[in-house]
Amino acid sequence: MSLNYQAVLWNRQKKIYDGLIVLGVVLYLGMFVGVGSLVRPQTTIETLLIRGFGTLALALLHVILSIGPLCRLDRRFLPLLYNRRHLGVTMFLCGLFHGVFAIVQFHALGNVNPLVSVLSSNTDLSSLSAFPFQPLGLAALGILFLMAATSHDFWLANLGAPIWKSLHMLVYVAYGLLVLHVVLGVLQAETNSVLTLILAVGFVWIVSLHLLAGFGEIAGDRELTAAGSDRFIRACAVDEIREKRARIVCLAGERVAIFRYDGKVSAVSNVCQHQNGPLGEGKIVDGCITCPWHGYQYAPESGASPPPFTEKVPTFNVRVKAGEVWIDPHPNPPGTRTEPAPIEGDASNG
Amino acid sequence: MADRDPFYVGYLDRIPAGIAGRTRLAVAILLAVGIALGLVLTFAQSSFDEGVFEFGVDREFRGVVIEKPYPMLLIPGTSGDARVTHYLAAYGKIGAGKFVDGLDGQSVRVTGSLIYNDQQRMIEVHTIEKIEGDTDDLKGLKTAAETPLGRMTLTGEIVDSKCHLGAMKPGRGKPHKACAIRCISGGIAPVLRVATHAGEVDYLLLVGADGSRVNRDVLKFIAEPVEISGEVVRAGDQLILYADPATYRRVVTGSTYELR
Ligand code: FES
């Protein structure tokens, strides 16, 4: 986890994941350029490469943006999320090749600097058909560069999770810019409406997937409020929690994960310290709460990662009374040890 | 024993069976969709213009230089006194001004790469030198008569003669707009590409009403449908359109025309 930083901590899943990325990229580009030069022999290899890399980058961006909501809708997609950042870096590199080839092709060897040319050759904002689309692509590439450059956990730790997270939310701005880049660019010249249709389907897919996942999440949030003078609030029945799993409840706007394991109940903040993964969708593995996204671990009683790791999440005091879990809505400071509440009459309660 | 509550942890070597099955399915679907997408996109892109850029092939040409309004080389045609006009450009997106400076009307030997499309020709100049000695065969090239064809209103697209003739595919339209702006502002001759009623393409060299260069003035009309009214002249194998760029008009769609 955060103990020290290596370029990439390789493991079997990452190797398989990356192997598949390379396979997909090679297949797509080989086919686009190979078949393209057969069916459009008048064109040039430069054009096929520009288009191949550009369309591949946009397709990969759709995959990347789909993985998050898909995992929220069905956890069996989580293996796709595990190494998503390598997919992101691959997408950036494809976009970079597209951009560099296009800038060289359309802007180099002229009477001004190529980058100046991108921004200054077309400044006609008077109509959509004339609108300069290349600066939009360049801006998106700039965002994707920032994201790829800071994708390593080193930057996550050094920028702090909130800054890092908002930086990486800019991917949606990049996506919007790229949709405009295509609509105001190549689609102004191409006549086949299938191209517009494909882009529209992609856009609708991304938006609806996010809406679906978002609604699902909001519907799942039951805001709990205190009953009586006691600070403790009734959260759920013990039976609603599966062994080694959690139930997520909402307390004062914060999500809390209540875990049941070995005849006991413990509660921690739902937010993983790594990238805000939902700990409550994780599982107790080898005695530790294990985050479903990248497998960071926390002891259920203390919210602290096992040594030598140093991540800590807030814990919550819990009680079990008559088969019901009661929870104190005031979080303990991250890493504070709290007594797990024993479940009366649980056979596994030792 | 089957895991009844499978949970995926990325850094463990094994994926639980149920999750692995779903992942394999998702990856297979993704690869299939990717390949299908690539195929559809390949076939859906419009076809490209013919046009050839003999990049890396060095040829030699003999002819007479025209310096104004745009650098050109007039070369004897194969039949009698006919002449073939070749636009001249330098390497990249730069006009051939520096090559032809002070050579107007002179007989020269040019080496360069040929670019051609739809009977239009251009040379990307590598070297140029004055011919000392016998140039009788080149005499009379420059004095070919200009035939006025009258005043016309034409709709078409302003393209740069280099990219459009074959240096780039596509060499016109929105994706190429910025490049055409770069080339024309770099001194390459602007031409109006018009479609004829018969479905063919004609090119008219654009000059001002007084026959001057218009590179700077046409920039804002490039790669858009544009309507130009002016005097059309045939000079040998070339059509020239005399019109003040201040009178050019953007239009919504192009239309075809017929030479009268
Ligand atoms: S978010 Fe990455 S491990 Fe929890």
Side-chain angles (χ1 to χ4, degrees), chain A residues 88-309:
Chain A
V89 172
T90 307
M91 182 264 304
F92 162 69
L93 289 176
C94 291
L96 183 69
F97 284 127
H98 167 81
V100 168
F101 284 165
I103 289 173
V104 168
Q105 168 103 330
F106 296 127
H107 298 276
L109 302 176
N111 53 356
V112 297
N113 174 295
L115 280 176
V116 173
S117 174
V118 172
L119 300 174
S120 68
S121 56
N122 177 11
T123 52
D124 186 345
L125 309 178
S126 66
S127 74
L128 282 183
S129 71
F131 199 90
F133 70 102
Q134 288 164 330
L136 302 175
L138 188 65
L141 195 57
I143 293 177
L144 297 179
F145 167 74
L146 276 183
M147 290 179 56
T150 60
S151 64
H152 198 276
D153 272 354
F154 171 83
W155 286 102
L156 175 57
N158 282 281
L159 291 172
I163 294 182
W164 190 88
K165 201 80 186 169
S166 22
L167 181 69
H168 285 241
M169 288 308 262
L170 285 178
V171 70
Y172 291 102
V173 177
Y175 177 62
L177 288 169
L178 288 176
V179 169
L180 289 174
H181 173 71
V182 174
V183 169
L184 299 174
V186 74
L187 288 187
Q188 296 292 321
E190 293 292 330
T191 47
N192 194 330
S193 45
V194 167
L195 296 169
T196 315
L197 187 72
I198 291 175
L199 188 71
V201 167
F203 184 75
V204 170
W205 161 265
I206 293 293
V207 171
S208 13
L209 208 55
H210 280 76
L211 288 178
L212 265 179
F215 285 140
E217 200 134 296
I218 292 170
D221 273 349
R222 288 188 304 158
E223 180 70 40
L224 302 177
T225 42
S229 56
D230 192 359
R231 301 220 303 188
F232 280 74
I233 299 176
R234 199 197 82 91
C236 60
V238 171
D239 290 346
E240 289 175 53
I241 316 177
R242 283 184 295 150
E243 173 68 13
K244 299 231 183 322
R245 292 287 198 168
R247 214 194 136 88
I248 301 171
V249 298
C250 208
L251 290 175
E254 290 285 329
R255 293 203 184 106
V256 178
I258 307 172
F259 277 90
R260 169 182 183 171
Y261 57 103
D262 306 333
K264 296 174 282 187
V265 167
S266 289
V268 299
S269 157
N270 189 51
V271 183
C272 178
Q273 283 304 288
H274 177 221
Q275 283 181 21
N276 299 1
L279 289 179
E281 291 173 24
K283 186 180 179 183
I284 307 254
V285 177
D286 299 333
C288 280
I289 296 170
T290 306
C291 178
W293 283 9
H294 314 95
Y296 273 39
Q297 292 194 305
Y298 305 89
E301 318 78 46
S302 66
S305 292
F309 303 109

Side-chain angles (χ1 to χ4, degrees), chain B residues 163-209:
Chain B
C163 291
H164 182 56
L165 294 187
M168 280 206 193
K169 307 290 186 72
R172 61 188 164 98
K174 185 75 183 282
H176 185 262
K177 178 173 174 141
C179 179
I181 291 176
R182 197 75 290 125
C183 285
I184 292 178
S185 73
I188 290 172
V191 295
L192 183 68
R193 178 190 194 274
V194 288
T196 66
H197 295 328
E200 284 166 3
V201 176
D202 272 343
Y203 299 89
L204 296 97
L205 182 64
L206 291 174
V207 296

Side-chain angles (χ1 to χ4, degrees), chain B residues 151-170:
Chain B
R151 192 170 177 80
M152 295 186 200
T153 297
L154 304 171
T155 333
E157 178 181 339
I158 300 176
V159 294
D160 73 274
S161 42
K162 186 174 190 185
C163 291
H164 182 56
L165 294 187
M168 280 206 193
K169 307 290 186 72

Side-chain angles (χ1 to χ4, degrees), chain B residues 19-42:
Chain B
I19 296 176
R22 168 62 63 110
T23 309
R24 269 188 220 115
L25 182 68
V27 170
I29 291 176
L30 269 178
L31 287 177
V33 169
I35 288 174
L37 177 75
L39 273 180
V40 171
L41 292 177
T42 314

Side-chain angles (χ1 to χ4, degrees), chain A residues 44, chain B residues 51-61 86 91 111-117 121-126 162 165-169:
Chain A
T44 59
Chain B
V52 176
F53 181 17
E54 295 182 343
F55 186 75
V57 179
D58 210 30
R59 288 180 191 263
E60 193 179 298
F61 308 84
H86 288 64
Y91 180 66
T111 64
S113 299
L114 193 61
I115 308 170
Y116 56 96
N117 184 18
R121 296 175 157 252
M122 168 177 269
I123 302 165
E124 183 184 271
V125 180
H126 302 155
K162 186 174 190 185
L165 294 187
M168 280 206 193
K169 307 290 186 72

